[in-house]
Amino acid sequence: MPTILQDPIDSASGATPPVVDVSRQLELELRTTLYEKGGSWRETLVEKGIFVVSLTAIFAILLIFIFVARECLPLILGQVDTARSAELIAPEKAVDLSSEQLAVYLSQPVEKIRPLSPDVLKDLVASRNEELAAHPNPDSKLNTVSWPMLLLPYRWQEYTKAEFIWQPTSLVEKYNLVPLFFGSVKIAVLSLLMAVPLSLMAAIYVSQLASGPVREVVKPVIELLAGVPSVVLGFLALIALASLFQWLFGYEVRLNTFVASVALALALIPVIFTIAEDALSAVPQTHKDAARAMGATEWHATIRVMVPAAFPGIFAAVILGFGRAIGETMVVLMASGNASILSPSIFQSCRTATAAIAAELADAPVDSPHYRVLFLIGFILFVITFVGNVFADVILQRLRARLEGQRGSHDAEPHASSEPNPQEALS
Amino acid sequence: MTNALPTIAHPPRVRIASPPGIAPAVNVSAPISHQVESLEAEPAAEPVAVPPIIQVQDLSLLYGNVAAVQHVTLDIPRYRVTALIGPSGCGKSTFLRCLNRMNDFIPNARTSGRVLFQNQDIYAREINPIRLRRYIGMVFQRSNPFPQSIYDNVAFGLRLHKMGRAETIHDQVELALRKVGLWDEVKDRLNQNAVTLSGGQQQRLCIARAIAIKPQVLLMDEPASALDPIATAKIEELILQLKEDYTIVIVTHNLQQAGRCSDYTAFFYMGQLIEFDATENIFGQPAAEATEAYINGRFG
């Protein structure tokens, strides 16, 4: 027999309210409403639409990767060969040879050779013979797009020692990639050395130390710098900065790594500043209050509490700045002097990998070895940035985890304490 | 002003005898336990001449043109717990922040009047508020440990003020953690991040961090309002224990808490100090109508 609860309100008033009717009504209503399908078809449509759009981004990246990889795949597989055959082919015998053999001899794609008439082929072979006869060069028998030639120094005919040379338009095309990637890294590192301290100091000042009105002015102005097109920055460097620095430092080469790095730093500062400033502003103000309530100065509270707390964000800002520095093309193309010189000096010209692609792709015949090598550079850049991003992301996750106090491997170890455990001592 | 609220007609009644400018009755350099013994002989309920550590004289604070604290005169007795109670927005938290000049960070806030800390006017032009906060610490409503290790949290102030080398800092960290009863709970994971602690542990860590640098006064702004009853009880127990070494001023919304752990209670209403007296008197026989109404839950 279930106990019937005495309702204090009912027993007090003595009246019996029509509870049954109300609850019956509610039950009937619930029978229909609870089984209704929620959401309209419009919501479903929008949701699916957004899903497709987000997939498109992934698809686009995949497509770019496939495109770049496809163009340089023959090179990676060793199917491209720049070596000319040692034997000259008599022009009369040209018609007897297969299109493939002629293609190799003329270093032209097969598709272009195949439709040509025998007379045209004869002329082409004759002019090729003349070219080879005029410049007898043992290097011309080399395959300059083989991996050792791409990556290792080589002593060319006219050189006294083995060197890394990028010279894709000489008679013997030299495709060593080292000067380009060295140039990229040199400019990126130099510009980061300038931009990181400046932008982090600015971020710390604006987010922590500046008064309200100063912050209201400085922050948007620095962020406005991000809106300046890189071609304008390159123009500024090319015309104004280059002359100014040459006058100041008196170096020989007007357009050089240093000028390009300064201009590139101007492009990096707003990127690094914005993210670092956001990260610092996101740290709760209560941390700062706690430090100040213990007698910390504004500066101490910022450096010992706020900056460590914002460190993952600051790290992300620097990584993003590095990505921008490696990838930036227009500024370095205009201001670096573009000579592919492998030199440790910052007052020498240099050519970056991105600038090489931008400057040379239009001149390289489609499917020629030069064209393939430029795509290989693009492929390598893609891989570098991808691996770099993944690596940075892993570090970022670790930093965040440490800051948010998830157990790391080192936290699991008990703290080395000389104190005996009181519980153990008792038992 | 709504007519439902009691009017403030009379001046604040302050019963503690405190001749201005008097030298502290106890020798600061003497052992603390000795001082406390001599003081505890006198019952706190009676108006006694407890030497004040902070004397507030006619303190007002304005946000722009709005007065948050108006003409408060109050003596905070040494080695006692003084509770500040009152309805939300009555200015008690603002008043608390005035005591170690944390109100300096509020834009548009102006103060007038004097706050004497051991006979030094802390609002004098030459006073460095950063040095002042070394002596008057603060614990906030929401526990705010730094996202660093437990050890580094407590050692923060010690390192900041260069209070000893690495070895002595370790001892001081241990002492501070023992005082707040956290040592046994965390001694095996001092290198772990402080945010992994529970809410109550975090708040006790914040207290440990504040007392590690041995301040004279500890200001607490609703230290237990975000905690569950068990953690709250631990904090209250801690407050009673800490008053042996520190003067404590605590803002609380919890009247039972004020009754349980304070020796003196100040009732604030609309920026004014309505009544200041021994806690027993405030809760037993409040002099002001408003105090009585608030204590009995008729408003607030």
Side-chain angles (χ1 to χ4, degrees):
Chain A
M1 184 82 183
T3 36
I4 296 161
L5 289 172
Q6 189 75 35
D7 188 349
I9 296 172
D10 271 3
S11 57
S13 63
T16 29
V19 174
V20 181
D21 278 2
V22 173
S23 66
R24 178 81 193 140
Q25 225 171 330
L26 179 64
E27 192 186 329
L28 283 174
E29 192 187 320
L30 290 180
R31 270 186 192 177
T32 54
T33 53
L34 288 185
Y35 294 94
E36 278 171 5
K37 292 268 180 289
S40 68
W41 62 271
R42 281 193 198 83
E43 282 172 29
T44 320
L45 202 71
V46 167
E47 192 196 313
K48 294 281 182 266
I50 294 170
F51 173 68
V52 168
V53 168
S54 61
L55 275 191
T56 314
I58 300 171
F59 186 67
I61 289 174
L62 208 66
L63 213 65
I64 296 167
F65 186 77
I66 290 170
F67 167 69
V68 174
R70 194 181 64 104
E71 293 300 313
C72 66
L73 199 62
L75 194 71
I76 293 169
L77 297 176
Q79 291 169 352
V80 182
D81 193 348
T82 60
R84 280 91 171 165
S85 52
E87 306 281 316
L88 295 183
I89 297 170
E92 301 77 41
K93 288 186 179 170
V95 278
D96 303 336
L97 294 169
S98 68
S99 303
E100 281 76 17
Q101 282 169 309
L102 281 172
V104 171
Y105 190 68
L106 299 170
S107 64
Q108 290 290 330
V110 186
E111 297 82 41
K112 286 191 177 173
I113 297 298
R114 204 169 279 141
L116 298 175
S117 68
D119 287 343
V120 176
L121 284 175
K122 205 186 277 181
D123 287 351
L124 280 175
V125 170
S127 65
R128 182 71 179 159
N129 287 349
E130 277 170 33
E131 189 190 322
L132 292 174
H135 305 281
N137 187 342
D139 289 347
S140 64
K141 287 169 199 152
L142 282 170
N143 178 14
T144 56
V145 291
S146 63
W147 282 108
M149 297 303 284
L150 290 175
L151 300 174
L152 300 174
Y154 181 74
R155 187 175 168 274
W156 301 92
Q157 280 299 306
E158 57 268 37
Y159 291 80
T160 53
K161 61 178 190 329
E163 278 185 60
F164 299 95
I165 302 293
W166 171 264
Q167 225 171 62
T169 48
S170 67
L171 275 169
V172 178
E173 302 162 0
K174 305 177 184 77
Y175 293 118
N176 200 291
L177 303 178
V178 175
L180 302 184
F181 282 96
F182 180 80
S184 278
V185 172
K186 188 162 90 164
I187 288 195
V189 168
L190 193 59
S191 60
L192 281 173
L193 282 179
M194 298 179 214
V196 168
L198 286 178
S199 43
L200 293 191
M201 281 192 275
I204 288 170
Y205 176 74
V206 166
S207 70
Q208 304 296 325
L209 309 173
S211 63
V214 175
R215 180 186 328 214
E216 295 305 310
V217 174
V218 175
K219 190 175 175 228
V221 168
I222 296 181
E223 285 171 357
L224 209 66
L225 204 59
V228 178
S230 54
V231 69
V232 175
L233 283 175
F235 194 64
L236 173 84
L238 181 71
I239 302 298
L241 291 181
S243 301
L244 176 73
F245 291 148
Q246 194 174 33
W247 177 72
L248 274 175
F249 301 107
Y251 47 68
E252 195 183 344
V253 189
R254 185 171 169 275
L255 294 178
N256 57 40
T257 312
F258 180 69
V259 177
S261 299
V262 172
L264 188 53
L266 285 176
L268 299 183
I269 283 171
V271 175
I272 301 173
F273 168 83
T274 307
I275 298 168
E277 203 271 340
D278 284 349
L280 280 163
S281 299
V283 179
Q285 200 64 25
T286 52
H287 289 334
K288 201 174 188 180
D289 283 346
R292 291 196 290 205
M294 278 188 285
T297 58
E298 190 92 17
W299 172 248
H300 269 134
T302 301
I303 287 301
R304 298 202 186 175
V305 179
M306 304 305 271
V307 171
F311 191 74
I314 293 171
F315 178 77
V318 174
I319 288 298
L320 212 76
F322 182 76
R324 175 88 198 266
I326 284 282
E328 175 57 54
T329 308
M330 196 40 97
V331 169
V332 293
L333 185 65
M334 291 172 83
S336 69
N338 255 338
S340 54
I341 302 165
L342 187 80
S343 159
S345 165
I346 60 164
F347 294 126
Q348 268 293 351
S349 289
C350 75
R351 171 171 287 212
T352 67
T354 50
I357 296 175
E360 296 170 19
L361 196 55
D363 300 334
V366 176
D367 294 344
S368 68
H370 188 195
Y371 175 88
R372 302 270 188 224
V373 171
L374 290 177
F375 270 92
L376 181 68
I377 293 171
F379 180 76
I380 294 171
L381 279 173
F382 200 105
V383 170
I384 287 175
T385 36
F386 184 76
V387 171
N389 275 342
V390 169
F391 185 66
D393 210 51
V394 169
I395 293 178
L396 206 60
Q397 293 301 328
R398 291 229 176 133
L399 286 172
R400 289 227 173 92
R402 213 174 65 187
L403 214 59
E404 282 155 21
Q406 284 146 27
R407 268 170 175 272
S409 54
H410 64 285
D411 290 336
E413 301 163 14
H415 174 66
S417 172
S418 53
E419 286 281 312
N421 191 334
Q423 259 118 41
E424 281 171 17
L426 283 171
S427 60
Chain B
M1 195 172 310
T2 44
N3 49 10
L5 297 174
T7 50
I8 310 149
H10 60 94
R13 190 188 61 163
V14 180
R15 270 206 230 161
I16 295 171
S18 58
I22 194 169
V26 280
N27 186 354
V28 180
S29 58
I32 282 160
S33 55
H34 171 72
Q35 295 171 15
V36 171
E37 265 174 37
S38 66
L39 289 168
E40 292 210 331
E42 301 157 320
E46 289 303 309
V48 289
V50 182
I53 189 162
I54 295 178
Q55 294 166 285
V56 182
Q57 297 172 352
D58 195 31
L59 182 78
S60 297
L61 183 138
L62 291 111
Y63 291 128
N65 290 323
V66 184
V69 176
Q70 295 176 48
H71 306 290
V72 172
T73 299
L74 173 70
D75 285 356
I76 290 167
R78 179 188 280 272
Y79 299 129
R80 292 286 183 269
V81 179
T82 304
L84 309 180
I85 60 168
S88 296
C90 69
K92 57 192 188 303
S93 281
T94 308
F95 174 77
L96 190 76
R97 280 164 184 267
C98 289
L99 298 182
N100 71 343
R101 291 190 59 179
M102 284 298 280
N103 59 328
D104 286 8
F105 305 118
I106 305 164
N108 304 325
R110 285 178 295 126
T111 52
S112 64
R114 299 209 299 168
V115 176
L116 301 181
F117 171 51
Q118 208 64 55
N119 299 326
Q120 303 288 319
D121 183 4
I122 65 169
Y123 282 93
R125 191 183 294 273
E126 300 80 18
I127 292 280
N128 182 353
I130 287 156
R131 292 267 171 268
L132 170 75
R133 293 185 201 112
R134 154 83 182 72
Y135 296 97
I136 306 181
M138 192 159 190
V139 174
F140 296 85
Q141 180 175 5
R142 300 265 312 267
S143 58
N144 51 2
F146 303 135
Q148 299 167 0
S149 74
I150 294 168
Y151 184 90
D152 286 343
N153 261 280
V154 184
F156 179 86
L158 299 167
R159 288 172 181 155
L160 184 74
H161 298 293
K162 302 195 172 55
M163 294 168 73
R165 294 153 184 266
E167 319 86 68
T168 56
I169 281 186
H170 186 277
D171 294 343
Q172 294 179 72
V173 168
E174 184 183 331
L175 186 70
L177 286 171
R178 279 192 192 284
K179 271 189 184 166
V180 300
L182 208 56
W183 177 253
D184 289 333
E185 293 166 50
V186 302
K187 67 169 185 282
D188 294 331
R189 45 174 183 154
L190 289 173
N191 288 329
Q192 211 173 313
N193 197 312
V195 290
T196 55
L197 297 173
S198 71
Q201 286 176 324
Q202 284 189 20
Q203 192 61 292
R204 281 186 284 151
L205 180 71
C206 290
I207 296 172
R209 186 175 64 182
I211 63 173
I213 57 172
K214 301 183 183 65
Q216 292 293 316
V217 182
L218 203 55
L219 308 177
M220 295 179 152
D221 190 356
E222 300 182 43
S225 69
L227 303 179
D228 65 78
I230 293 168
T232 304
K234 278 189 181 170
I235 299 279
E236 286 177 14
E237 203 180 304
L238 182 58
I239 289 169
L240 290 174
Q241 194 187 319
L242 287 174
K243 75 172 179 182
E244 291 182 9
D245 300 334
Y246 308 97
T247 304
I248 293 172
V249 186
I250 175 171
V251 164
T252 180
H253 269 296
N254 184 335
L255 292 176
Q256 285 82 10
Q257 187 173 68
R260 277 192 299 263
C261 56
S262 74
D263 302 307
Y264 294 93
T265 298
F267 173 62
F268 279 75
Y269 182 59
M270 302 197 67
Q272 296 185 21
L273 175 66
I274 305 300
E275 192 171 353
F276 178 54
D277 204 342
T279 301
E280 285 88 334
N281 292 344
I282 291 279
F283 284 90
Q285 49 213 358
E289 211 180 306
T291 314
E292 202 225 325
Y294 182 69
I295 299 288
N296 294 324
R298 287 212 291 277
F299 78 97

